[in-house]
Amino acid sequence: HPELWTAMETQLADRYLRDNQQCQHGLYVVAWFRCDQWDEADSRSEKTPQMACEEVQRRLDTQARQFSEQKDLTLAAFVLNTALR
């Protein structure tokens, strides 16, 4: 998704949770498909960051902590590893 690194803030925090004052908790869920078996000729491969699922989780966890503090929310991120094994 082209907004992988921005949608937690722009979509979840600034739109969904801002418009719903009764709920100040949000979960940002990402399905992660990157794997060694992915055909590099597939055009989606070049659009996907060359990162391991665990690295994506760490980066999004950091974002969730930062946005939670900045926006007085409780945000969490969950990266679902959907890669082929």
Side-chain angles (χ1 to χ4, degrees), residues 13-67:
D14 291 347
R15 194 166 87 209
Y16 298 154
L17 294 177
R18 186 184 62 195
D19 292 345
N20 182 356
Q21 295 299 315
Q22 295 174 338
C23 179
Q24 296 300 292
H25 297 77
L27 178 62
Y28 186 63
V29 179
V30 172
W32 195 251
F33 297 92
R34 165 77 43 208
C35 66
D36 292 338
Q37 293 87 347
W38 200 345
D39 182 357
E40 295 299 324
D42 185 328
S43 64
R44 295 169 295 183
S45 176
E46 67 187 39
K47 297 175 187 173
T48 303
Q50 303 289 318
M51 304 168 81
C53 184
E54 297 78 16
E55 187 176 349
V56 175
Q57 181 70 62
R58 282 191 299 276
R59 185 168 170 180
L60 292 175
D61 285 343
T62 299
Q63 279 189 3
R65 282 191 301 277
Q66 290 172 342
F67 296 145

